[in-house]
Amino acid sequence: MSHNGNRHPSKKPKLAGVEPVLGSTRSQTSTGKAAQKKAALKKQLVRQNVEKPIRRKNPEDGHPSSKDKGQKATTSKLSSVLKVPTKAKDSKMANDGGRLLVVAGCYEKILYGLEIDLQKREKGEEGEERAGFTPVFVFPAHISCVKAVAASRPSGKWLASGGTDESIKIWDLRRRKELGSLQQHQGSVTHLSFPTRTHLLSASEDGTICVYHTRDWAVLATLRGHKDRVNDVAVHPSAKVCLSVGKDRTLRMWDLMRGKGSASVKLGKEGEGVRWTSSGARFAVISASTLDIYSTKMALLQTIHHPARIQAIHFCRDQADREFALIAAEDKLVTIYLLPSLVEDAGDGDESSIPIVATLNGHTNRVKAIDSIIIQKTTYVTSVSSDGRIHLYDLTDILGWTGQSDPLSVDPMAVYDTKGSRLTCVTVTDCGDTEMANSDGLPRKRKHTDESEGDEEEEEEEEEEEDIDGDD
């Protein structure tokens, strides 16, 4: 994939609604006098409790490009409310492998950032052990409804949020600052995800899908093919292809290595959501209260008729490689089904062969979105609902289900009440842990020093470029 334009332009444009970064020009860094002024200004800002970031030499600190549409952008003081561990005092805490960051958006334009320490448990009213959410930021991030949010993994460096204001806001969670906004779409943003640490993918009601590079936030590819809005996108665990569904009632496959479409199938009904299983051997399409599960050859394997309209779908698997489907719906529950193995899936489409393993309880209104993460071989699921509550569940007991007992009923291990916000989307990432795994269950290691961070990004980009060359 190639960049549209120069990666390092000689003069970077000023971002709409964002103050320029200190030390971003050559004149500020070329002389000792300028450096002294910069240090003095930083001390003054710290005294005012408004900590502004200083640009690092890491080239990935490029800003998102933006086009001025004439509307006033909202600039949020993320640096003044986001709590990030300092190197000296909290370096051990940042690597303890037990802290998560959950970020949720809502109709009221607000982003909620909640941190939870999985190692700290307190006894609840009924004697059960519970962990507690700690708010680290709550602020209006957009000028209208937030419809999509995504955080990069591992280590949660980047956060992206999008909404009906047609813009994508980019945040650096580690350095506590807003980088700016991407204005590539001409419609509401319907999907955001980070397929890798170095790429962001977005979809919109304008019928396009865009791929960006996180080094300079340049648009690598714009995928066109849908005749109407794109409802959802699912990237394969290999990050080489993705699926999309839209209002035009088609399912499309895209080659992310070459930035073009590779296949299109008419579904006969509008696909409202799409997801790959954790293994990448199957995928599912949501339509109203129906979940159709397909093989990679587009053969319909199973159909789940859920008793309520489905809002979101997610997949996870246990140590024995059994795959589970998590369905969030308007029945106020997250229902977990155990999928048959691929051998058993020879395909009579019998729904009775898909048992219900458990239900995740606690919400009092429809569950709008879910996400999961694996930390130290334990799977955690977070959910948001129109009741204004954010839940976190531990799936340890569920993934050990043997089928010899009735479906389990699981209560949340942590709850945060937003006091009435109509939540729409959620994402979860780790807080700088040295060892973690994505939903595919594969562990990844990462060093957390400023000196090694740039080298790791370059090594990952080289590996991706080798994959691309090999495919050509």
Side-chain angles (χ1 to χ4, degrees), residues 41 61 92 101 295 342 347 375 435:
L41 180 58
D61 281 336
K92 183 177 181 180
L101 178 67
S295 69
L342 288 175
I375 297 291
E435 182 177 349

Side-chain angles (χ1 to χ4, degrees), residues 120-124 128-132 411-415:
K120 293 182 180 180
R121 302 291 181 94
E122 297 179 357
K123 287 189 176 182
E128 76 281 6
E129 289 188 351
R130 281 194 173 188
D411 293 325
M413 61 176 288
V415 177

Side-chain angles (χ1 to χ4, degrees), residues 272 286-291 304-310 327:
E272 300 171 358
I286 301 172
S287 181
S289 61
T290 301
L291 183 71
I304 298 177
H305 296 283
H306 199 67
R309 188 179 186 89
I310 301 174
I327 294 179

